Amino acid sequence: MGTATATAPWKQLLLNALESNSHLKHSSYLQLATIGSNGRPSNRTVVFRGFEENSDKIQIHTDRRSRKIEELRHCPFAEICWYFTDSWEQFRINGRVEVIDEMNPDSLKREQREKAWFSCSMRSRLQYLGPSPGVPRLNEDFPAEASVDPSTGPVGAFCLLVLEPDQVDYLNLKSNQRLEFTFTRTAGKEKCWTSERINP
Amino acid sequence: MGTATATAPWKQLLLNALESNSHLKHSSYLQLATIGSNGRPSNRTVVFRGFEENSDKIQIHTDRRSRKIEELRHCPFAEICWYFTDSWEQFRINGRVEVIDEMNPDSLKREQREKAWFSCSMRSRLQYLGPSPGVPRLNEDFPAEASVDPSTGPVGAFCLLVLEPDQVDYLNLKSNQRLEFTFTRTAGKEKCWTSERINP
């Protein structure tokens, strides 16, 4: 039934969907579900910030002060649900999320975070200087004068999330096809992806 | 800071968003996160099927054979993430989900399920006669001759989900406003909603 490959066979499907929906601003918006500290599901829209170089890992930017950081430290698993409104395709991407902040002991990862920071617009960077997200608004007029030097590296609140997929459920509502991709390790410890057609 | 009301103050915001995005087919699509049997988050797109009569409970249709039924029996909590692509509004709606199937002991609930069934298009009803969703596809050509009598009540696979919200996080990306609505019971056991402006 299934086929096995070393490279992620769903990645090309996702790149195609991004391409065919690229005229829509919201095509890079996806829903990221995590498990809340109270044990209930938690779900919000985030922006796809590209794949990690030469991999199928998905990058997302977030504020260290947001609730999802605490949630991911408690339970590092997440499921992305990404629906493309023009091509009618859905990707459900399940995997483990690594939180990369300024305290990361791995210098390569700190570099990756720095690169992510410089890829942001100045407007995006400014958000990380604003008040803590999700807490009661104290003053109506938060000083808008905050500014960030374009050459300065990431501020403390800037976090890079990297989701490493191990299961992808692809549904195409136009062709009514559904495929399940599963990441496994063979007995010889080699990584591989298997895929299987399942009922929609 | 906050204000308290007995009727759900976020419901009108949601009705307004539905109205202002109604030209988009996908405006009724939302992402429902649950907790998988393996303890990991699970997330998929479903269709909003209206509010339960005279309430703020959200109705969703699903197949009893789908994985989310098993998940909800295990952990009945869910979070909806609903992003409106034209008005740039996001609703995160957290609450408990009741699964109403043909075995439900409450005759009013069985009636509600029946009403939901008859509100479906014939095409939607046919889906519940198809093969089990999410399991490997066995034969390429599943008999398309299956038919359903328009006057026949719900088939066994048809389930009505009813989510009772107790927390709603509203974000408007155009005005950059965020509001948190929380359902509580007063000391006198009266239900009420409080709302508070929080940082986006």
Side-chain angles (χ1 to χ4, degrees):
Chain A
M1 304 281 194
T3 53
T5 56
T7 55
W10 52 269
K11 188 177 171 182
Q12 194 55 50
L13 286 172
L14 183 54
L15 291 171
N16 295 349
L18 278 164
E19 172 67 25
S20 63
N21 294 269
S22 59
H23 56 293
L24 299 167
K25 177 188 157 70
H26 63 261
S27 64
S28 63
Y29 294 6
L30 53 94
Q31 278 71 38
L32 181 79
T34 52
I35 297 185
S37 312
N38 58 2
R40 293 192 184 194
S42 191
N43 204 4
R44 81 286 285 158
T45 306
V46 295
V47 181
F48 172 67
R49 302 289 185 172
F51 288 100
E52 188 183 283
E53 230 176 324
N54 302 316
S55 90
D56 55 11
K57 295 183 190 172
I58 288 170
Q59 297 185 117
I60 292 161
H61 299 168
T62 195
D63 194 303
R64 195 179 56 189
R65 301 165 298 172
S66 70
R67 207 148 41 198
K68 63 178 111 33
I69 294 295
E70 189 193 331
E71 294 177 356
L72 287 166
R73 298 220 192 263
H74 198 251
C75 169
F77 296 102
E79 186 159 279
I80 284 171
C81 182
W82 199 346
Y83 182 68
F84 290 91
T85 57
D86 201 41
S87 62
W88 299 10
E89 292 167 285
Q90 174 182 265
F91 293 80
R92 297 173 61 182
I93 305 174
N94 204 301
R96 177 187 275 268
V97 179
E98 183 177 17
V99 178
I100 303 177
D101 63 13
E102 61 181 346
M103 314 291 275
N104 200 290
D106 183 332
S107 67
L108 281 176
K109 286 180 180 168
R110 288 198 310 273
E111 251 174 59
Q112 188 185 350
R113 171 175 171 265
E114 196 162 284
K115 207 171 158 186
W117 170 262
F118 287 115
S119 75
C120 294
S121 68
M122 294 309 289
R123 195 163 166 269
S124 295
R125 294 186 210 177
L126 265 176
Q127 285 180 348
Y128 297 93
L129 293 170
S132 272
V135 302
R137 196 170 170 91
L138 289 179
N139 40 359
E140 284 297 312
D141 305 297
F142 190 82
E145 312 98 59
S147 71
V148 59
D149 183 323
S151 64
T152 303
V155 298
F158 180 74
C159 262
L160 175 64
L161 304 182
V162 180
L163 185 146
E164 181 170 14
D166 58 22
Q167 179 128 23
V168 178
D169 183 323
Y170 168 75
L171 175 65
N172 185 317
L173 285 178
K174 286 188 182 172
S175 66
N176 209 28
Q177 287 208 350
R178 189 172 168 193
L179 293 166
E180 190 166 63
F181 300 94
T182 309
F183 185 69
T184 44
R185 283 179 195 275
T186 60
K189 292 278 181 188
E190 276 175 283
K191 304 173 188 178
C192 80
W193 282 94
T194 59
S195 71
E196 186 160 38
R197 193 157 168 203
I198 59 175
N199 293 322
Chain B
M1 304 280 193
T3 54
T5 56
T7 55
W10 51 269
K11 189 177 172 182
Q12 194 55 50
L13 286 173
L14 184 55
L15 291 171
N16 294 349
L18 278 163
E19 173 67 25
S20 64
N21 293 270
S22 60
H23 57 292
L24 299 167
K25 178 188 156 71
H26 63 261
S27 63
S28 62
Y29 294 5
L30 54 93
Q31 278 71 39
L32 181 79
T34 52
I35 296 185
S37 313
N38 58 2
R40 291 192 185 194
S42 190
N43 204 5
R44 80 287 285 160
T45 307
V46 296
V47 181
F48 172 66
R49 301 290 186 174
F51 288 100
E52 188 183 283
E53 230 177 323
N54 302 317
S55 90
D56 56 10
K57 294 182 189 172
I58 288 169
Q59 298 184 117
I60 292 160
H61 300 168
T62 194
D63 194 302
R64 195 179 56 189
R65 302 165 297 172
S66 70
R67 206 148 42 198
K68 62 178 110 35
I69 295 296
E70 190 194 330
E71 294 177 356
L72 287 167
R73 299 220 191 263
H74 199 250
C75 169
F77 296 101
E79 186 158 279
I80 284 171
C81 182
W82 199 347
Y83 181 69
F84 289 92
T85 58
D86 202 39
S87 61
W88 298 11
E89 291 167 286
Q90 172 182 266
F91 292 81
R92 297 173 62 183
I93 306 173
N94 203 302
R96 176 187 276 269
V97 179
E98 184 177 16
V99 178
I100 304 178
D101 63 12
E102 62 181 346
M103 315 291 276
N104 199 290
D106 183 333
S107 67
L108 281 177
K109 286 179 181 169
R110 287 200 308 275
E111 252 174 59
Q112 188 186 351
R113 171 176 172 264
E114 197 162 281
K115 208 171 157 186
W117 171 261
F118 287 115
S119 75
C120 294
S121 67
M122 294 309 290
R123 195 163 166 269
S124 294
R125 295 186 210 177
L126 265 175
Q127 284 180 349
Y128 296 94
L129 295 170
S132 271
V135 302
R137 196 170 170 90
L138 288 178
N139 40 359
E140 284 297 312
D141 305 298
F142 191 81
E145 310 100 60
S147 71
V148 60
D149 183 323
S151 63
T152 303
V155 298
F158 180 74
C159 263
L160 175 63
L161 304 182
V162 180
L163 185 145
E164 181 171 12
D166 58 22
Q167 179 128 25
V168 178
D169 183 322
Y170 168 75
L171 175 65
N172 186 316
L173 284 178
K174 287 188 181 170
S175 65
N176 208 29
Q177 287 208 350
R178 189 172 169 193
L179 293 166
E180 190 166 63
F181 300 96
T182 309
F183 185 69
T184 45
R185 284 179 194 274
T186 60
K189 291 278 180 187
E190 277 175 281
K191 304 172 188 180
C192 79
W193 282 94
T194 59
S195 71
E196 186 161 38
R197 194 158 168 204
I198 58 174
N199 294 322

